Amino acid sequence: MYFYIGRIQGRFELLVQNGYRHWSKQLVEKRLTEDPLVRQYVVHNDDYHFNPNTIAIYNFADNPMFGEYKTVVLDQKEGIVISTKSSKSVLHKYTKHVLISGLSLQKSIARILGLASFHSISLVHLVFFS
């Protein structure tokens, strides 16, 4: 998944202003290992929860970043969050304890992210369409 970040507020905005508008899993991996500017925005948080500030969640469970971090999250407020928890765990906690059903999940995520009816939501191996 390769995407372009438009208007962003919070801590991540500083990276966007410095030319870091394009992101993908490969770019995350390369930037975290090679780019000192990007590493300034990295925080470790094993209690991270999916929330309205979540921009993207990348799964590195098969090849953990720096040998131990299974998830990298781009977050508006926190910046780049690394976690030893899997991305599946981050999303599972949200779906298990916050939502009642898949339809609620789709509507809730769309509402949190401010998505219009023509957007789709992709979670692990599932894609939800409005």
Side-chain angles (χ1 to χ4, degrees):
M1 180 170 93
Y2 181 80
F3 67 95
Y4 172 81
I5 297 177
R7 283 189 91 158
I8 294 289
Q9 295 177 345
R11 183 171 162 88
F12 200 80
E13 179 182 18
L14 297 173
L15 275 173
V16 171
Q17 289 175 355
N18 283 307
Y20 292 88
R21 291 185 176 276
H22 298 273
W23 291 86
S24 68
K25 185 174 180 179
Q26 292 77 22
L27 284 173
V28 167
E29 187 170 24
K30 181 178 180 180
R31 289 173 178 168
L32 287 182
T33 56
E34 298 175 7
D35 193 328
L37 176 65
V38 171
R39 284 197 303 266
Q40 293 176 24
Y41 294 91
V42 174
V43 294
H44 174 235
N45 183 354
D46 281 337
D47 294 323
Y48 184 84
H49 303 291
F50 178 84
N51 66 74
N53 297 312
T54 303
I55 299 169
I57 299 175
Y58 293 101
N59 181 22
F60 288 94
D62 294 337
N63 187 19
M65 294 289 301
F66 307 112
E68 63 181 311
Y69 299 106
K70 297 178 183 176
T71 301
V72 176
V73 180
L74 305 183
D75 184 276
Q76 287 188 65
K77 299 255 189 252
E78 293 189 49
I80 300 171
V81 180
I82 56 176
S83 175
T84 58
K85 306 275 184 182
S86 69
S87 57
K88 183 177 179 179
S89 174
V90 171
L91 292 172
H92 177 67
K93 188 169 189 173
Y94 179 78
T95 58
K96 185 78 172 167
H97 300 288
V98 178
L99 303 169
I100 296 170
S101 68
L103 183 57
S104 296
L105 172 65
Q106 175 188 354
K107 288 181 179 179
S108 178
I109 292 174
R111 188 172 40 254
I112 287 170
L113 298 176
L115 297 178
S117 61
F118 56 86
H119 288 100
S120 64
I121 300 166
S122 175
L123 297 173
V124 190
H125 298 291
L126 304 172
V127 177
F128 297 92
F129 295 92
S130 303

